[in-house]
Each structure stands twice: as C-alpha cells, then as structure tokens.
Amino acid sequence: MDYDIIIIGAGPAGVTAAIYADRAGLKTLILEKMYVGGQIVNTYEVENYPGFTQILGTDLAIKFTEHIRAFPNIDFKREDAKTLSLSGDVKTVTTKKNSYTAKTLVLAMGSSPRRLGVPGEERLRGRGVSYCGTCDGALYRDQTVAVVGGGNSAIEDVIFLSRLCKKVHLIHRRDEFRAHKKMTENMLQLPNIEVHYDSVTEEILGENAVNELKIKNVKTDAISTLNVACVFVTIGQIPSNDLVKGTITLDELGYIVTDNTLATNIPGVFAAGDGRNNILKQIVTAAADGAIAAYGASVYIAGL
C-alpha cells in the first residue's frame, strides 16, 4: 500500500488535514489539480483568520504552501483525481498519470462558482463576465460594473470594487440582504453604489466584450438596461463532488453527508471543507474540518 491517507484537494481543509495526518505519523499524499489554497487565492483580503488581522489571500496561500513544505514526509502531487475505488480496506485514487492506494481518504474538493444561466454568460465569460471581483476588479478601474448577488461574498465584492470602479450596480433578487448586517450597512453608505432590489439578470450583452446588462424587476416585470464593462456573478457555490456521485451519500444540494468525525457512509472515507454539508463555509471552519478528518482517519487506522 502506498499511503496511510490520501487527501484530494489542497485548500484550507486539505492542507490542514495533511498537517495533522503527518503529526499523527501517517504517510500522507495530497493530490491537487490546480494550486494550494483553493478559493483563498481568489480572495483579496482575509481579516477573519486567527493570527492575521489582515492578509492578502494570495499571501495566505503562500503561507499554506510553506507550511506543507516544512513537513518533508508529506507528498504533494499536482494531479487531478479522475476515478476512485472505495470499497474494501484499500482505497485507490487514479489520476491521468498514476494510481495511488491508501488505507483512508479525505475528500476536500471544495466548490465552484454557481452560474446565472442567462444568455451571453458563457459566450462572454472572461471578457466581462467574472466570478471573482478581487481577481479581476483591477481590470475595470474607473469603469462602471455590476455585481449580481446578495450574500456575504457579493457584498464583499461590492465594497472592494467601490474602491476601484467609477460606479458599482448591485443586482439583488430580494428586497433585503442575507449578508451580515454590519457589512451591508457599510456597503450602503458608499457613495458610488446603486442597489437594484427585487431584480434578476435577464441577459448579458456585448459583441467582443460586455457592454450592457439587461435586468428585470420581479415585482413589476419592468426591464431595464445598464451600461457596464463587467458583470461579477456572486450567487453562491456548487460543491465539486461529481467524482463521488453515486458512491458517497450527498444531501439534496450535492454536499457530502458526514457524521461528527467527518466520516462518510463508506468506512475509511472522510470529507472536509466546502464540499461537506457544514453550516458555515469559511477558511477557519474548513481548516477545523481538515484537522477533524485527519483525526478521524488516524482513529480509523488504529482500529479504535
């Protein structure tokens, strides 16, 4: 057998799971198809992770990378898990290049941005349709942009973009926000923000790049068009659990169901982070998940 534990994903959950697994003396492999840090890399500033009153998301991801490298017994491979074999005592993960076996597995694949599903979105993706204000906001400095959404992430994007852009339209389908009250109050005080309540996106327009956004008021059916250079879509996440559909028990939204040790329905398989059915999806909760999942794996291996 190659490893004691294989961790799929190197976001906060996966990185923490690897650190705790190594400290427990487990031979550990992390598989990550992109980069260490997960969605942290797309976060401009982090202010709510203990030890850092303020740190750039990219800098925190670098810290995570350095932490992994400080443990020479953690193997890190930039490979995408393609198939899993989870029955029995030996778990097998197959990538395009290799197959790896382990006694336990931690699923920490995270989630991906939810799409609007309106005309023009896919065609203009990367040409004025963005899913990360902190990543792409600087490209639209001194221009007028729109943000679609009403949760914490949407409000964070509006506040960030207000510092760069001439004007920010916020398109929200309800008449009140789901976001934290203090954050919303701060956003509403900004002078270059216009909120379009009870409104949904109908179409994103433009030939080679976005130049207009068509919206509809859901109460009056009135259609209006906004002149914008970019539409930032921030309407939630979809768990990246396609790899385990039909094998691992998922809830109605597609999140992995776990018990209090973060064990799934298959013995020896655990889940951590944004792909799990937790009530709060933050860096600190993902990191906590990673620690618990690694502990659960070590207990499972010990037969306790």
Side-chain angles (χ1 to χ4, degrees), residues 3 26 33 35 60 70-71 76 95 108 115 121 129-130 135 155 157 209 220 227 231 236 250 265 273 301:
Y3 295 94
L26 304 183
K33 64 181 179 180
Y35 36 71
L60 185 55
F71 291 84
F76 177 86
T95 70
R115 306 289 195 259
E121 181 180 17
V129 174
S130 172
C135 308
I155 303 305
D157 271 4
T220 66
N227 294 318
V231 179
L250 307 178
N265 59 301
I301 290 172

Side-chain angles (χ1 to χ4, degrees), residues 95-108:
T95 70
K96 187 175 181 179
K97 299 178 181 179
N98 301 291
S99 288
Y100 304 98
T101 58
K103 299 174 184 175
T104 60
L105 182 66
V106 173
L107 305 169

Side-chain angles (χ1 to χ4, degrees), residues 164-282:
L164 300 172
C165 300
K166 179 182 178 181
K167 184 173 183 177
V168 182
H169 294 278
L170 176 58
I171 317 304
H172 183 42
R173 62 180 177 174
R174 298 187 177 92
D175 57 6
E176 59 183 23
F177 293 100
R178 304 185 310 276
H180 294 154
K181 183 177 180 180
K182 182 62 177 177
M183 186 187 303
T184 300
E185 290 173 349
N186 291 341
M187 182 270 295
L188 292 173
Q189 292 175 5
L190 296 170
N192 59 339
I193 302 301
E194 182 176 350
V195 181
H196 302 264
Y197 294 101
D198 302 314
S199 297
V200 295
T201 302
E202 287 283 286
E203 186 176 4
I204 301 172
L205 303 166
E207 289 298 323
N208 298 317
V210 171
N211 57 32
E212 289 182 331
L213 174 65
K214 185 182 293 185
I215 63 174
K216 181 178 79 172
N217 186 291
V218 296
K219 291 185 175 178
T220 66
D221 288 332
I223 300 292
S224 56
T225 301
L226 306 175
N227 294 318
V228 297
C230 186
V231 179
F232 294 95
V233 181
T234 318
I235 56 172
Q237 299 288 314
I238 298 174
S240 302
N241 291 330
D242 287 348
L243 188 63
V244 296
K245 281 182 178 177
T247 306
I248 299 292
T249 299
L250 307 178
D251 68 12
E252 64 277 6
L253 297 177
Y255 291 96
I256 298 172
V257 176
T258 64
D259 65 14
N260 61 355
T261 68
L262 303 195
T264 69
N265 59 301
I266 295 182
V269 180
F270 300 80
D274 287 359
R276 186 181 75 82
N277 61 338
N278 50 4
I279 61 172
L280 182 64
K281 301 185 187 303
Q282 297 285 305

Side-chain angles (χ1 to χ4, degrees), residues 7-85:
I7 300 160
I8 302 177
V15 167
T16 309
I19 292 168
Y20 274 75
D22 183 85
R23 288 171 60 86
L26 304 183
K27 188 177 181 183
T28 304
L29 168 66
I30 306 177
L31 295 174
E32 170 55 58
K33 64 181 179 180
M34 296 182 70
Y35 36 71
V36 174
Q39 294 191 58
I40 291 177
V41 177
N42 299 328
T43 303
Y44 177 63
E45 289 180 345
V46 176
E47 299 178 330
N48 56 357
Y49 191 69
F52 301 97
T53 55
Q54 189 176 71
I55 185 171
L56 295 177
T58 50
D59 288 346
L60 185 55
I62 290 170
K63 293 286 187 184
F64 283 3
T65 304
E66 292 171 347
H67 205 152
I68 291 175
R69 289 175 177 169
F71 291 84
N73 293 325
I74 297 175
D75 286 346
F76 177 86
K77 296 184 184 294
R78 198 174 299 279
E79 297 181 33
D80 186 12
K82 296 294 186 182
T83 61
L84 305 178
S85 178

